[in-house]
Amino acid sequence: MDTKPRVVAVGAGLAGMETLFTLRRRLGDRVELALVADRDDFEFRPGTVYVPFGGAEDDLQIPVASPAQRQGITVEHGAVAWVETEPKRLVLTDGRTLDYDFLVLATGAAMRPERVPGLAEHAHLVGSLHQMRELGRTLRRLRDAAVDGSPQHALFLVPPGNCWPGPVYELAFMLETWLRRSRVRDRVCLTFATFEDRYMEALGAGLHPVIGEKFASRGIISHARSVVTEVEPHRVRFADGTAHTFDVLVSTAPHAAAVDYEGLPKDRNGFLLTDAETRRVRRTDAVYAPGDAGDFPVKLGYLSLLQADAVADDIAARIDPASVAEPRRFDPVGLFVLEMLDEAVFARTPLAMTGEPDRSGEGRRVGVSPIWHLGKKTLGAYLPQRFRAGHPVHGGLRQDAVSLGLRGLSKAMSEPVEES
Ligand SMILES: Cc1cc2nc3c(=O)[nH]c(=O)nc-3n(C[C@H](O)[C@H](O)[C@H](O)COP(=O)(O)OP(=O)(O)OC[C@H]3O[C@@H](n4cnc5c(N)ncnc54)[C@H](O)[C@@H]3O)c2cc1C
């Protein structure tokens, strides 16, 4: 190529930023990088679960402009309307067009509460920082009512079609700890209902007994295989004919792609169909979809980063084979720390390319400890710091130290588990 190849990433989330920062690290100034961002900030969602319980917000919103500028990435403020592969260009909603040599569609997933009648109207949905702030206000009102002697009922719900229920589990356990610390736990009934066959089944069956035991020991009434059909004011109805009343309903929602790309191959929820290892969009030569925008069924941030690394390495190797000796390929290993405020559950699960837990695979581990609570806090500080400085999360000496620390901790503080 005579001029520098141009990579355009759409979406200033985990996957988009990690891809661009890695490309800069791999290729230096041999590539032109651009980011299409529909927001001024990058929102670090994993840290938002602390917000309803008074957690600081300082590190959760990272301005996109300064790290991008530091890395010589041009920021185009706007939203993508559609993309074309021949010629290679994308069109923004304000009519501007951008040419690309390689395109990274990292626009993530969106919640579709309207697929469950009444959910949007009557539930506290958990996704954004704004929603977490609102939930905090409601939970403080619930606690005040309990202090005043009025019994309360909080219901936590995971509806079918949801691709990542982790935060709802965390919020249920965190609320339990918070109420206990506020000495009003006995006045609040907590119920958890999920459509899943087993708790947190996205990360394998090994978590079900561990989480089930935690629900039981903390007095949280829990139901798996509870498929919501309708939400009314103060009542949720389920497919098996049962219903639960509530004062506060905390729920996630069915997921679909945030952007429905016309003309690109996608599944029925709009998630782009990709090659498993490189995350290149099928039937395209130069379009990639790392993270929640693609068809990997588990929408976990850690997996988004792994996919972004695979995308960046594939593009870097195509631009300059000498820039990356062994391009990383997407090897789906789910890693999650489920926060409870006083302790946390650590889970590491190798997943098959289908998103199913890999039944043959080794390396599945689960652990419960207060140390994991500190581990989640530490990781929550480390990741935003990296992005603020314009560095990829993966790669570099400090990441190696963090990975090594995590690996050591995981050996010491978790047990291998069998898939049943
Ligand atoms: C409350 C909560 C807690 C979570 N906790 C954890 C956790 O502990 N660990 C974990 O690993 N994962 C966690 N996750 C999941 C994790 O946040 C997501 O998997 C991750 O953010 C996905 O990254 P992404 O870059 O693919 O998409 P996103 O982070 O969703 O980024 C997509 C970006 O694209 C932008 N965009 C959308 N449409 C357009 C458009 N038309 N034009 C331009 N830009 C657009 C969006 O504004 C956004 O900036 C949590 C999620 C939530 C909601």
Side-chain angles (χ1 to χ4, degrees), residues 9-18 35-49 64 76-82 90 92-93 105-111 126-129 131-132 163-168 170-171 252 255 257-261 289-294 298-305 307-308 335-339 376 383 387:
V10 187
L14 278 180
M17 305 290 271
E18 175 81 358
L35 170 69
V36 177
D38 67 344
R39 316 168 38 106
D40 293 335
D41 299 310
F42 161 81
E43 199 170 291
F44 182 62
R45 302 254 166 80
T48 60
V49 288
V64 171
E76 303 285 351
H77 293 282
V80 67
W82 74 86
L90 64 148
L92 306 190
T93 49
L105 298 175
T107 39
M111 290 205 279
V126 288
S128 66
L129 180 57
Q131 289 169 328
M132 291 298 190
C163 303
W164 181 241
V168 184
E170 293 186 292
L171 289 167
T252 178
H255 277 120
V259 180
D260 196 0
Y261 292 99
D292 288 2
V298 182
K299 306 296 180 196
L300 178 64
Y302 182 77
L303 293 169
S304 290
L305 290 174
Q307 293 177 53
L335 195 113
F336 180 57
V337 179
L338 193 159
E339 179 64 274
K376 177 130 183 162
L383 266 72
F387 276 0

Coordinates of all heavy atoms in Angstrom, one line a residue, residues 9-18 35-49 64 76-82 90 92-93 105-111 126-129 131-132 163-168 170-171 252 255 257-261 289-294 298-305 307-308 335-339 376 383 387, ligand 1:
A9 N -12.3 2.0 13.9 CA -13.1 1.2 14.9 C -14.4 2.0 15.2 O -14.3 3.2 15.4 CB -12.3 1.0 16.1
V10 N -15.5 1.3 15.3 CA -16.7 2.0 15.7 C -17.1 1.5 17.1 O -17.3 0.3 17.3 CB -17.9 1.7 14.7 CG1 -19.1 2.5 15.0 CG2 -17.4 1.9 13.3
G11 N -17.3 2.4 18.0 CA -17.7 2.0 19.4 C -16.5 2.2 20.4 O -15.5 1.5 20.3
A12 N -16.7 3.2 21.3 CA -15.6 3.4 22.3 C -15.9 2.6 23.5 O -16.1 3.2 24.6 CB -15.6 4.9 22.6
G13 N -16.0 1.3 23.4 CA -16.2 0.4 24.5 C -14.9 -0.4 24.8 O -13.8 -0.1 24.2
L14 N -15.0 -1.4 25.6 CA -13.8 -2.3 25.9 C -13.2 -2.8 24.6 O -12.0 -2.7 24.4 CB -14.3 -3.5 26.7 CG -14.4 -3.3 28.2 CD1 -14.9 -4.6 28.8 CD2 -13.1 -2.8 28.9
A15 N -14.0 -3.3 23.7 CA -13.5 -4.0 22.5 C -12.9 -3.0 21.5 O -11.8 -3.2 21.0 CB -14.6 -4.8 21.8
G16 N -13.6 -1.9 21.3 CA -13.0 -0.9 20.3 C -11.7 -0.3 20.8 O -10.8 -0.2 20.0
M17 N -11.7 0.1 22.1 CA -10.5 0.8 22.6 C -9.3 -0.2 22.7 O -8.2 0.1 22.3 CB -10.8 1.3 24.0 CG -11.9 2.3 24.1 SD -11.7 3.8 23.3 CE -11.0 4.8 24.6
E18 N -9.6 -1.4 23.1 CA -8.5 -2.4 23.3 C -7.9 -2.7 21.9 O -6.7 -2.8 21.7 CB -9.1 -3.7 23.9 CG -8.1 -4.9 24.0 CD -7.1 -4.8 25.1 OE1 -7.1 -3.8 25.9 OE2 -6.3 -5.8 25.3
L35 N -11.4 6.4 15.4 CA -12.5 5.9 16.2 C -13.8 6.7 16.0 O -13.8 7.9 16.1 CB -12.1 6.0 17.7 CG -13.1 5.7 18.8 CD1 -13.5 4.2 18.8 CD2 -12.6 6.1 20.1
V36 N -14.9 5.9 15.7 CA -16.2 6.6 15.7 C -16.8 6.4 17.0 O -17.0 5.2 17.5 CB -17.1 6.0 14.6 CG1 -18.5 6.6 14.6 CG2 -16.4 6.2 13.2
A37 N -17.1 7.5 17.7 CA -17.6 7.4 19.1 C -18.9 8.2 19.2 O -19.0 9.3 18.8 CB -16.6 7.9 20.1
D38 N -20.0 7.5 19.7 CA -21.2 8.2 19.9 C -21.4 8.8 21.3 O -22.4 9.3 21.6 CB -22.4 7.2 19.6 CG -22.6 6.1 20.5 OD1 -21.6 5.8 21.3 OD2 -23.6 5.5 20.5
R39 N -20.3 8.6 22.1 CA -20.3 9.2 23.5 C -19.0 9.8 23.7 O -18.0 9.4 23.1 CB -20.5 8.1 24.6 CG -21.6 7.1 24.3 CD -21.4 5.9 25.3 NE -21.1 6.4 26.6 CZ -21.9 6.5 27.6 NH1 -23.1 6.0 27.5 NH2 -21.5 6.9 28.8
D40 N -18.9 10.8 24.6 CA -17.6 11.4 25.0 C -16.8 10.5 25.9 O -15.6 10.7 26.0 CB -17.9 12.8 25.6 CG -18.5 13.8 24.6 OD1 -18.3 13.6 23.4 OD2 -19.2 14.7 25.1
D41 N -17.5 9.6 26.6 CA -16.8 8.8 27.7 C -16.9 7.4 27.4 O -17.8 6.9 26.7 CB -17.6 9.0 29.0 CG -17.5 10.4 29.5 OD1 -16.4 11.0 29.5 OD2 -18.6 11.0 29.8
F42 N -15.9 6.7 27.8 CA -15.9 5.2 27.9 C -16.4 4.9 29.3 O -15.9 5.4 30.3 CB -14.5 4.7 27.7 CG -14.3 3.3 28.2 CD1 -14.7 2.2 27.4 CD2 -13.7 3.0 29.4 CE1 -14.5 0.9 27.8 CE2 -13.6 1.7 29.9 CZ -14.0 0.7 29.1
E43 N -17.5 4.0 29.3 CA -18.1 3.7 30.6 C -17.6 2.3 31.0 O -17.8 1.3 30.3 CB -19.6 3.7 30.4 CG -20.3 3.8 31.8 CD -21.8 4.1 31.6 OE1 -22.2 5.2 31.2 OE2 -22.6 3.2 31.8
F44 N -17.0 2.2 32.2 CA -16.4 0.9 32.7 C -17.5 0.2 33.5 O -17.7 0.4 34.7 CB -15.2 1.2 33.5 CG -14.6 -0.1 34.0 CD1 -14.1 -1.1 33.1 CD2 -14.5 -0.4 35.3 CE1 -13.6 -2.3 33.5 CE2 -13.9 -1.6 35.8 CZ -13.5 -2.5 34.9
R45 N -18.3 -0.6 32.8 CA -19.5 -1.2 33.4 C -19.3 -2.1 34.6 O -20.0 -2.0 35.6 CB -20.3 -2.0 32.4 CG -20.7 -1.2 31.2 CD -22.2 -0.8 31.2 NE -22.5 0.2 30.3 CZ -22.7 0.0 29.0 NH1 -22.6 -1.2 28.5 NH2 -22.9 1.0 28.2
P46 N -18.2 -3.0 34.6 CA -18.0 -3.9 35.7 C -18.0 -3.2 37.1 O -18.4 -3.7 38.1 CB -16.7 -4.6 35.4 CG -16.7 -4.6 33.9 CD -17.3 -3.3 33.5
G47 N -17.4 -1.9 37.1 CA -17.3 -1.2 38.3 C -18.6 -0.5 38.8 O -18.7 -0.1 39.9
T48 N -19.6 -0.5 37.9 CA -20.8 0.2 38.3 C -21.7 -0.5 39.3 O -22.6 0.1 39.9 CB -21.7 0.5 37.1 OG1 -22.1 -0.8 36.5 CG2 -21.0 1.3 36.0
V49 N -21.4 -1.8 39.6 CA -22.3 -2.5 40.6 C -22.1 -2.0 42.0 O -22.9 -2.2 42.9 CB -22.0 -4.1 40.6 CG1 -22.6 -4.7 39.3 CG2 -20.6 -4.4 40.8
V64 N -12.9 9.9 26.3 CA -12.3 9.2 25.1 C -11.2 10.0 24.5 O -10.2 9.5 24.0 CB -13.4 8.8 24.1 CG1 -12.8 8.3 22.8 CG2 -14.4 7.8 24.7
E76 N -13.9 10.6 15.6 CA -15.0 11.1 14.8 C -16.2 11.0 15.7 O -16.7 9.9 16.0 CB -15.3 10.3 13.5 CG -14.1 10.2 12.6 CD -13.8 11.5 11.8 OE1 -14.6 12.5 11.9 OE2 -12.7 11.6 11.2
H77 N -16.8 12.1 16.2 CA -17.9 12.0 17.0 C -19.2 11.8 16.2 O -19.4 12.5 15.3 CB -18.1 13.3 17.9 CG -17.0 13.4 18.9 ND1 -17.0 12.7 20.1 CD2 -15.8 14.1 18.9 CE1 -15.9 13.0 20.7 NE2 -15.2 13.8 20.0
G78 N -19.9 10.7 16.5 CA -21.1 10.4 15.7 C -21.5 9.0 15.8 O -20.8 8.2 16.5
A79 N -22.5 8.6 15.2 CA -23.0 7.2 15.2 C -23.0 6.6 13.8 O -23.4 7.3 12.8 CB -24.4 7.2 15.8
V80 N -22.7 5.4 13.7 CA -22.7 4.7 12.4 C -24.1 4.4 12.0 O -25.0 4.1 12.8 CB -21.8 3.4 12.5 CG1 -22.5 2.4 13.4 CG2 -21.6 2.9 11.1
A81 N -24.4 4.7 10.7 CA -25.8 4.4 10.2 C -25.7 3.0 9.4 O -26.5 2.2 9.7 CB -26.2 5.5 9.3
W82 N -24.8 2.9 8.5 CA -24.6 1.6 7.8 C -23.2 1.5 7.3 O -22.4 2.5 7.2 CB -25.6 1.4 6.7 CG -25.5 2.2 5.5 CD1 -24.7 1.9 4.4 CD2 -26.1 3.4 5.1 NE1 -24.8 2.8 3.4 CE2 -25.7 3.8 3.9 CE3 -27.0 4.2 5.8 CZ2 -26.2 4.9 3.2 CZ3 -27.5 5.4 5.2 CH2 -27.0 5.7 3.9
L90 N -17.9 3.7 5.5 CA -19.1 3.6 6.4 C -19.7 5.0 6.4 O -19.1 6.0 6.1 CB -18.7 3.2 7.8 CG -17.8 4.0 8.6 CD1 -18.2 3.9 10.1 CD2 -16.4 3.5 8.5
L92 N -22.1 7.7 8.5 CA -22.6 8.1 9.8 C -24.0 8.7 9.7 O -24.5 9.1 8.6 CB -21.7 9.1 10.5 CG -20.2 8.7 10.6 CD1 -19.5 9.8 11.5 CD2 -20.1 7.3 11.2
T93 N -24.7 8.7 10.8 CA -26.1 9.2 10.8 C -26.3 10.6 10.3 O -27.3 11.0 9.8 CB -26.8 9.0 12.2 OG1 -26.0 9.6 13.1 CG2 -27.1 7.6 12.5
L105 N -16.1 -3.3 14.0 CA -17.5 -3.0 14.4 C -17.6 -3.4 15.9 O -17.8 -4.6 16.1 CB -18.5 -3.6 13.5 CG -18.5 -3.1 12.1 CD1 -19.5 -3.8 11.2 CD2 -18.7 -1.6 12.0
A106 N -17.4 -2.5 16.8 CA -17.4 -2.9 18.3 C -18.5 -2.1 19.0 O -18.3 -1.4 20.0 CB -16.0 -2.6 18.9
T107 N -19.7 -2.2 18.4 CA -20.8 -1.4 18.9 C -21.6 -2.1 20.0 O -22.6 -1.5 20.5 CB -21.7 -1.0 17.8 OG1 -21.9 -2.0 16.8 CG2 -21.1 0.2 17.0
G108 N -21.2 -3.3 20.4 CA -21.8 -3.9 21.6 C -23.2 -4.4 21.5 O -23.8 -4.5 20.4
A109 N -23.8 -4.7 22.6 CA -25.2 -5.2 22.7 C -26.0 -4.2 23.4 O -25.6 -3.3 24.1 CB -25.2 -6.5 23.5
A110 N -27.3 -4.3 23.2 CA -28.3 -3.4 23.8 C -29.4 -4.2 24.5 O -29.7 -5.4 24.1 CB -28.9 -2.5 22.8
M111 N -30.0 -3.7 25.5 CA -31.1 -4.4 26.2 C -32.4 -4.2 25.5 O -32.6 -3.0 25.0 CB -31.2 -4.0 27.7 CG -30.0 -4.4 28.5 SD -30.4 -4.5 30.2 CE -30.3 -2.8 30.7
V126 N -30.6 -2.9 34.9 CA -29.2 -2.6 35.3 C -28.4 -2.8 34.1 O -28.3 -3.9 33.5 CB -28.7 -3.5 36.4 CG1 -29.4 -3.1 37.7 CG2 -29.0 -5.0 36.2
G127 N -27.7 -1.7 33.7 CA -26.9 -1.7 32.5 C -25.9 -0.6 32.6 O -24.7 -0.7 32.6
S128 N -26.5 0.6 32.7 CA -25.6 1.8 32.6 C -25.4 2.4 34.0 O -26.0 2.1 35.0 CB -26.3 2.9 31.7 OG -27.5 3.3 32.4
L129 N -24.4 3.3 34.1 CA -24.1 4.0 35.3 C -25.3 4.8 35.8 O -25.6 4.8 37.0 CB -22.9 5.0 35.0 CG -22.4 5.8 36.2 CD1 -22.0 5.0 37.3 CD2 -21.2 6.7 35.7
Q131 N -28.4 4.1 35.3 CA -29.4 3.2 35.9 C -29.0 2.8 37.3 O -29.8 2.6 38.2 CB -29.6 2.0 35.0 CG -30.4 2.3 33.7 CD -30.3 1.2 32.7 OE1 -29.4 0.5 32.6 NE2 -31.4 1.1 31.9
M132 N -27.7 2.6 37.5 CA -27.2 2.2 38.8 C -27.4 3.3 39.9 O -27.7 3.0 41.0 CB -25.7 1.8 38.7 CG -25.4 0.6 38.0 SD -26.2 -0.9 38.7 CE -25.4 -2.2 37.7
C163 N -28.0 -12.4 27.8 CA -26.7 -13.0 27.5 C -25.6 -12.8 28.6 O -24.5 -13.3 28.4 CB -26.1 -12.5 26.2 SG -27.2 -12.7 24.8
W164 N -25.9 -12.0 29.6 CA -25.0 -11.9 30.7 C -25.7 -11.5 32.0 O -25.9 -10.3 32.2 CB -23.8 -10.9 30.4 CG -22.9 -10.9 31.5 CD1 -22.5 -9.8 32.3 CD2 -22.2 -12.0 32.1 NE1 -21.7 -10.1 33.3 CE2 -21.5 -11.5 33.2 CE3 -22.1 -13.3 31.8 CZ2 -20.7 -12.3 34.0 CZ3 -21.3 -14.2 32.6 CH2 -20.6 -13.6 33.7
P165 N -26.1 -12.4 32.8 CA -26.8 -12.1 34.0 C -26.0 -11.7 35.2 O -26.5 -11.4 36.3 CB -27.6 -13.4 34.3 CG -26.7 -14.5 33.8 CD -25.9 -13.9 32.6
G166 N -24.6 -11.8 35.1 CA -23.7 -11.6 36.2 C -24.1 -10.4 37.2 O -24.2 -10.6 38.4
P167 N -24.3 -9.2 36.6 CA -24.6 -8.1 37.5 C -25.9 -8.3 38.4 O -25.9 -7.8 39.5 CB -24.8 -6.9 36.6 CG -24.5 -7.3 35.2 CD -24.2 -8.8 35.2
V168 N -26.9 -9.0 37.9 CA -28.1 -9.2 38.7 C -27.8 -10.1 39.9 O -28.2 -9.9 41.0 CB -29.3 -9.8 37.9 CG1 -30.5 -9.9 38.7 CG2 -29.5 -8.9 36.7
E170 N -24.8 -10.3 41.3 CA -24.0 -9.5 42.2 C -24.8 -8.6 43.0 O -24.7 -8.5 44.3 CB -23.0 -8.7 41.4 CG -21.9 -9.6 40.7 CD -20.9 -8.7 40.0 OE1 -21.2 -8.0 39.1 OE2 -19.7 -8.7 40.5
L171 N -25.8 -7.9 42.4 CA -26.6 -6.9 43.1 C -27.5 -7.6 44.2 O -27.6 -7.1 45.3 CB -27.5 -6.2 42.1 CG -26.7 -5.2 41.2 CD1 -27.6 -4.7 40.1 CD2 -26.2 -4.0 42.0
T252 N -32.3 -7.5 34.6 CA -31.7 -7.3 33.3 C -32.7 -7.6 32.2 O -33.9 -7.7 32.6 CB -30.4 -8.2 33.2 OG1 -29.8 -7.9 31.9 CG2 -30.7 -9.6 33.3
H255 N -31.2 -9.5 25.3 CA -30.2 -8.7 24.5 C -30.4 -8.8 23.0 O -30.8 -9.8 22.5 CB -28.8 -9.2 24.9 CG -28.2 -8.7 26.1 ND1 -27.8 -9.5 27.2 CD2 -27.9 -7.4 26.5 CE1 -27.4 -8.7 28.2 NE2 -27.4 -7.5 27.8
A257 N -28.2 -7.0 19.3 CA -27.1 -6.1 18.9 C -27.5 -4.7 19.0 O -28.7 -4.3 18.7 CB -26.7 -6.4 17.4
A258 N -26.6 -3.8 19.4 CA -26.9 -2.4 19.5 C -27.2 -1.8 18.1 O -28.0 -0.9 18.0 CB -25.8 -1.6 20.2
V259 N -26.5 -2.3 17.1 CA -26.7 -1.8 15.8 C -27.0 -3.0 14.9 O -26.3 -4.0 14.9 CB -25.4 -1.1 15.2 CG1 -25.6 -0.6 13.8 CG2 -25.0 0.1 16.1
D260 N -28.1 -2.8 14.1 CA -28.5 -3.9 13.2 C -27.9 -3.5 11.8 O -28.4 -2.7 11.1 CB -30.0 -3.9 13.1 CG -30.5 -5.2 12.5 OD1 -29.7 -6.0 12.1 OD2 -31.7 -5.3 12.3
Y261 N -26.7 -4.2 11.4 CA -26.0 -3.8 10.2 C -26.7 -4.5 9.0 O -26.6 -5.7 8.8 CB -24.6 -4.2 10.3 CG -23.8 -3.4 11.4 CD1 -23.6 -3.9 12.6 CD2 -23.3 -2.1 11.1 CE1 -22.9 -3.2 13.6 CE2 -22.6 -1.4 12.0 CZ -22.4 -1.9 13.2 OH -21.7 -1.2 14.2
A289 N -15.7 -8.0 14.1 CA -16.7 -7.7 15.1 C -16.3 -8.3 16.4 O -16.8 -9.4 16.8 CB -18.1 -8.2 14.7
P290 N -15.4 -7.7 17.2 CA -15.0 -8.2 18.5 C -16.1 -7.8 19.5 O -16.8 -6.8 19.4 CB -13.7 -7.5 18.8 CG -13.8 -6.2 18.0 CD -14.7 -6.4 16.8
G291 N -16.1 -8.5 20.6 CA -17.0 -8.2 21.8 C -18.4 -8.5 21.6 O -18.8 -9.3 20.8
D292 N -19.2 -7.7 22.3 CA -20.7 -8.0 22.4 C -21.4 -7.9 21.1 O -22.5 -8.4 20.9 CB -21.3 -7.1 23.4 CG -21.0 -7.5 24.9 OD1 -20.2 -8.4 25.1 OD2 -21.5 -6.8 25.8
A293 N -20.8 -7.1 20.1 CA -21.5 -7.0 18.8 C -21.5 -8.2 18.0 O -22.3 -8.4 17.1 CB -20.8 -5.8 18.0
G294 N -20.5 -9.1 18.3 CA -20.4 -10.3 17.5 C -21.3 -11.5 18.0 O -22.0 -11.3 19.0
V298 N -21.9 -15.5 24.9 CA -21.7 -15.0 26.3 C -21.1 -13.6 26.2 O -20.0 -13.4 25.7 CB -20.8 -15.9 27.1 CG1 -20.7 -15.4 28.6 CG2 -21.2 -17.3 27.1
K299 N -21.9 -12.6 26.7 CA -21.5 -11.2 26.5 C -20.8 -10.7 27.8 O -21.3 -10.0 28.6 CB -22.7 -10.3 26.3 CG -23.6 -10.8 25.1 CD -22.9 -10.7 23.8 CE -23.7 -11.2 22.6 NZ -23.0 -11.5 21.4
L300 N -19.5 -11.1 27.9 CA -18.7 -10.8 29.1 C -17.5 -9.9 28.7 O -16.9 -10.2 27.7 CB -18.2 -12.2 29.6 CG -17.3 -12.2 30.8 CD1 -18.0 -11.6 32.1 CD2 -16.9 -13.6 31.1
G301 N -17.3 -8.9 29.5 CA -16.2 -8.0 29.1 C -14.9 -8.6 28.9 O -14.1 -8.3 28.0
Y302 N -14.6 -9.6 29.8 CA -13.3 -10.3 29.7 C -13.1 -10.9 28.3 O -12.1 -10.9 27.7 CB -13.1 -11.3 30.8 CG -11.8 -12.0 30.8 CD1 -10.7 -11.4 31.3 CD2 -11.7 -13.3 30.4 CE1 -9.5 -12.0 31.4 CE2 -10.5 -14.0 30.4 CZ -9.4 -13.3 30.9 OH -8.2 -14.0 30.9
L303 N -14.2 -11.5 27.8 CA -14.2 -12.2 26.5 C -14.1 -11.1 25.4 O -13.5 -11.4 24.4 CB -15.5 -13.0 26.3 CG -15.6 -14.3 27.2 CD1 -16.9 -14.9 27.1 CD2 -14.5 -15.3 26.9
S304 N -14.7 -9.9 25.6 CA -14.6 -8.9 24.6 C -13.1 -8.5 24.5 O -12.6 -8.2 23.3 CB -15.3 -7.6 25.1 OG -16.7 -7.8 25.0
L305 N -12.4 -8.4 25.6 CA -10.9 -8.1 25.5 C -10.2 -9.1 24.7 O -9.3 -8.8 23.9 CB -10.3 -7.9 26.9 CG -10.8 -6.7 27.7 CD1 -10.2 -6.8 29.1 CD2 -10.4 -5.4 27.0
Q307 N -11.3 -11.1 22.5 CA -11.6 -11.0 21.0 C -10.9 -9.8 20.4 O -10.5 -9.9 19.3 CB -13.2 -10.9 20.9 CG -13.9 -12.2 21.3 CD -15.4 -12.0 21.2 OE1 -15.9 -11.6 20.2 NE2 -16.1 -12.3 22.3
A308 N -10.9 -8.7 21.1 CA -10.2 -7.5 20.6 C -8.7 -7.8 20.3 O -8.2 -7.3 19.3 CB -10.4 -6.3 21.5
L335 N -13.8 -15.6 32.5 CA -13.2 -15.3 33.8 C -14.1 -14.3 34.5 O -14.3 -13.2 33.9 CB -11.8 -14.8 33.7 CG -10.9 -14.8 34.9 CD1 -9.8 -15.8 34.7 CD2 -10.4 -13.4 35.2
F336 N -14.6 -14.6 35.7 CA -15.5 -13.6 36.3 C -15.4 -13.7 37.8 O -15.2 -14.8 38.4 CB -16.9 -14.0 35.9 CG -18.0 -13.1 36.5 CD1 -17.9 -11.7 36.3 CD2 -19.0 -13.6 37.2 CE1 -18.9 -10.9 36.8 CE2 -20.0 -12.8 37.8 CZ -19.9 -11.4 37.6
V337 N -15.4 -12.5 38.4 CA -15.4 -12.5 39.9 C -16.8 -11.9 40.3 O -17.1 -10.8 39.9 CB -14.3 -11.6 40.5 CG1 -14.4 -11.6 42.0 CG2 -12.9 -12.1 40.0
L338 N -17.6 -12.8 41.0 CA -19.0 -12.4 41.4 C -18.9 -11.7 42.7 O -18.7 -12.4 43.7 CB -19.8 -13.6 41.4 CG -21.3 -13.5 41.4 CD1 -22.0 -14.7 40.9 CD2 -21.9 -13.1 42.8
E339 N -19.2 -10.4 42.8 CA -19.0 -9.6 44.0 C -20.2 -9.9 44.9 O -21.3 -10.0 44.5 CB -18.9 -8.2 43.6 CG -18.8 -7.2 44.7 CD -17.5 -7.3 45.5 OE1 -17.5 -8.1 46.4 OE2 -16.6 -6.6 45.2
K376 N -11.4 -8.2 42.8 CA -12.3 -7.5 41.9 C -12.0 -6.0 42.0 O -12.0 -5.3 41.0 CB -13.7 -7.8 42.2 CG -14.7 -7.1 41.4 CD -15.8 -8.0 40.8 CE -16.7 -7.3 39.8 NZ -17.4 -8.1 39.0
L383 N -8.0 -1.7 35.2 CA -8.4 -1.6 33.8 C -8.7 -0.1 33.4 O -8.2 0.3 32.3 CB -9.7 -2.4 33.6 CG -9.5 -3.9 33.0 CD1 -8.9 -4.8 34.1 CD2 -10.8 -4.5 32.5
F387 N -6.8 2.2 30.2 CA -7.4 2.9 29.1 C -7.2 4.5 29.2 O -7.0 5.1 28.2 CB -8.9 2.6 29.1 CG -9.2 1.4 28.4 CD1 -8.2 0.6 27.8 CD2 -10.5 0.9 28.3 CE1 -8.5 -0.6 27.1 CE2 -10.8 -0.3 27.6 CZ -9.8 -1.0 27.0
Ligands
LIG1 C1 -23.7 -3.7 35.1 C2 -22.8 -4.5 34.3 C3 -21.7 -5.2 35.0 C4 -20.8 -6.0 34.2 N1 -19.8 -6.6 34.9 C5 -18.9 -7.3 34.3 C6 -17.8 -7.9 34.9 O1 -17.7 -7.8 36.2 N2 -16.9 -8.6 34.2 C7 -17.0 -8.7 32.9 O2 -16.1 -9.2 32.2 N3 -18.0 -8.1 32.2 C8 -19.0 -7.5 32.8 N4 -20.0 -6.9 32.2 C9 -20.1 -7.1 30.7 C10 -19.3 -6.1 30.0 O3 -19.5 -4.7 30.4 C11 -19.5 -6.1 28.5 O4 -19.4 -7.4 28.0 C12 -18.5 -5.2 27.7 O5 -18.8 -3.9 28.1 C13 -18.7 -5.4 26.2 O6 -17.7 -4.6 25.6 P1 -17.9 -4.1 24.1 O7 -16.8 -3.2 23.8 O8 -18.1 -5.3 23.2 O9 -19.3 -3.3 24.1 P2 -19.7 -2.0 24.9 O10 -18.9 -1.9 26.1 O11 -21.2 -2.0 25.0 O12 -19.3 -0.8 23.9 C14 -20.0 -0.5 22.8 C15 -19.8 0.9 22.4 O13 -20.3 1.2 21.1 C16 -21.1 2.4 21.2 N5 -22.1 2.4 20.1 C17 -23.3 1.8 20.1 N6 -23.9 2.1 19.0 C18 -23.1 2.9 18.2 C19 -23.3 3.5 17.0 N7 -24.3 3.4 16.2 N8 -22.2 4.3 16.5 C20 -21.1 4.5 17.3 N9 -21.0 3.9 18.5 C21 -21.9 3.1 19.0 C22 -21.6 2.4 22.6 O14 -22.0 3.7 23.0 C23 -20.4 1.9 23.4 O15 -19.5 2.9 23.7 C24 -21.0 -6.1 32.9 C25 -22.0 -5.5 32.2 C26 -22.9 -4.7 32.9 C27 -24.0 -4.0 32.1

